[in-house]
Amino acid sequence: MKTSISRGVLLAAAFLLAACGTSTTAASTSNPANVTTPTSAGDSGMSMNPTSTVDPMAGMDHGGGSSGPAGLALDLDSSMFQANKPVDLSFKIVAADGSTVTKYQVEQTKELHLILVRSDLTGYQHLHPTRSTDGTWTVNVTFLRGGVYKMVADSAPIIAGEPYARVALTTDLNVSGPGEDVKLPPASPTANVDGYTVTVTGGLASTNELALTFAVVDKAGKPVTLEAYLGAFGHLVAFAQADLAYSHIHPQQADQQHGTIEFMGQATEPGPHRLFLQFAAAGKVHTAEFTINAT
């Protein structure tokens, strides 16, 4: 499946990195992606040849970063799937010369983080594919509803022995089956998940960085002791509603015993964003979802 690269719109700074620290059908490489002029990261219409975009600043502090290796692209065998049917989603990441990337740096205990979300910002999944020796990444996935999904492969590749900054390659996946769009929930400072209440204070702005602090309490209102997940006490991912641009933000600090995690971030433009906070407590990983309007 041939895909092309363009630069996506992103939030300045990086999601998905570790709090209190630094921190996807066998794919064919016969038609690697070519670099194209930039297009919108949110082209999510049904397509047999989905557009792949690269977020070259992914993983960079406060919006800085490298453009990443030119021509880096996703190579999928198929972008068509069926709702409620478990399937192996497999892909390769190829370099500009068509060679398959087979070495990666470890980020938050994994070489690659795979993010999936439906075009209406539902159905969020954070997965960790396994890599075979030939560079093929594979993970079993089930899409619960039909529609268009954004796929994000977030990694820090090593090409010709040279490590590159973290990049996020994105493309669209088309899933057949019933599934009407769900309206984005209104902005709210609280989210309930698995018996926990998570409250966020702070906000997002397009003019400067702002702090986002999340506090987790149990049913009795007592602070939850956070547990390590992927080498961190919390992970945060966001998508802009307007174009599904993906971002990740560096956390600044966390208080494990009092269940609080602080991140810093800046939006590239005003508008609604859907945030997905993952934290571990009582031996399980929980995902709290928020709508935040960036000013």
Side-chain angles (χ1 to χ4, degrees):
M1 177 64 64
K2 184 177 180 180
T3 60
S4 60
I5 291 180
S6 68
R7 177 168 177 165
V9 180
L10 22 136
L11 296 176
F15 281 90
L16 203 64
L17 292 181
C20 289
T22 60
S23 349
T24 268
T25 73
S28 168
T29 57
S30 60
N31 292 308
N34 297 315
V35 177
T36 65
T37 55
T39 61
S40 168
D43 295 334
S44 56
M46 300 295 285
S47 171
M48 291 297 292
N49 294 293
T51 298
S52 172
T53 68
V54 57
D55 288 351
M57 296 192 301
M60 297 295 99
D61 287 306
H62 310 306
S66 165
S67 62
L72 199 66
L74 289 171
D75 189 2
L76 291 82
D77 180 58
S78 174
S79 65
M80 308 295 291
F81 302 94
Q82 183 177 338
N84 290 303
K85 182 179 181 180
V87 65
D88 283 340
L89 170 61
S90 300
F91 62 93
K92 293 179 180 180
I93 294 179
V94 297
D97 62 1
S99 62
T100 300
V101 179
T102 58
K103 294 183 179 181
Y104 298 81
Q105 302 169 68
V106 175
E107 299 280 353
Q108 302 104 54
T109 74
K110 301 293 182 180
E111 289 186 336
L112 185 143
H113 297 263
L114 180 69
I115 307 297
L116 300 172
V117 71
R118 197 173 180 275
S119 59
D120 61 354
L121 298 177
T122 63
Y124 176 83
Q125 297 185 61
H126 177 177
L127 307 171
H128 300 104
T130 56
R131 178 176 57 81
S132 63
T133 55
D134 70 351
T136 300
W137 293 98
T138 304
V139 65
N140 191 263
V141 62
T142 300
F143 299 94
L144 297 182
R145 298 193 298 136
V148 178
Y149 287 75
K150 182 67 68 178
M151 166 183 164
V152 182
D154 189 325
S155 69
I158 299 174
I159 302 175
E162 181 179 356
Y164 282 86
R166 193 169 180 173
V167 294
L169 297 172
T170 75
T171 193
D172 289 340
L173 305 177
N174 300 304
V175 179
S176 62
E180 295 184 1
D181 285 351
V182 175
K183 185 177 180 180
L184 188 71
S188 174
T190 61
N192 297 303
V193 55
D194 304 330
Y196 299 101
T197 298
V198 186
T199 302
V200 60
T201 55
L204 285 174
S206 58
T207 54
N208 60 287
E209 285 192 334
L210 296 176
L212 287 168
T213 301
F214 298 86
V216 187
V217 299
D218 61 17
K219 293 180 179 179
K222 296 181 179 180
V224 171
T225 299
L226 301 172
E227 300 170 358
Y229 169 55
L230 301 175
F233 294 125
H235 299 271
L236 187 63
V237 163
F239 287 89
Q241 182 187 35
D243 54 11
L244 296 188
Y246 163 85
S247 301
H248 35 202
I249 292 177
H250 278 306
Q252 299 299 299
Q253 59 185 346
D255 187 332
Q256 179 187 10
Q257 298 302 317
H258 291 87
T260 61
I261 318 163
E262 181 181 296
F263 299 80
M264 293 292 292
Q266 179 177 346
T268 57
E269 59 182 297
H273 290 75
R274 193 67 168 165
L275 274 62
F276 301 90
L277 172 72
Q278 290 189 298
F279 64 93
K284 296 182 179 180
V285 176
H286 314 276
T287 303
E289 304 182 13
F290 296 84
T291 300
I292 289 184
N293 292 318
T295 58

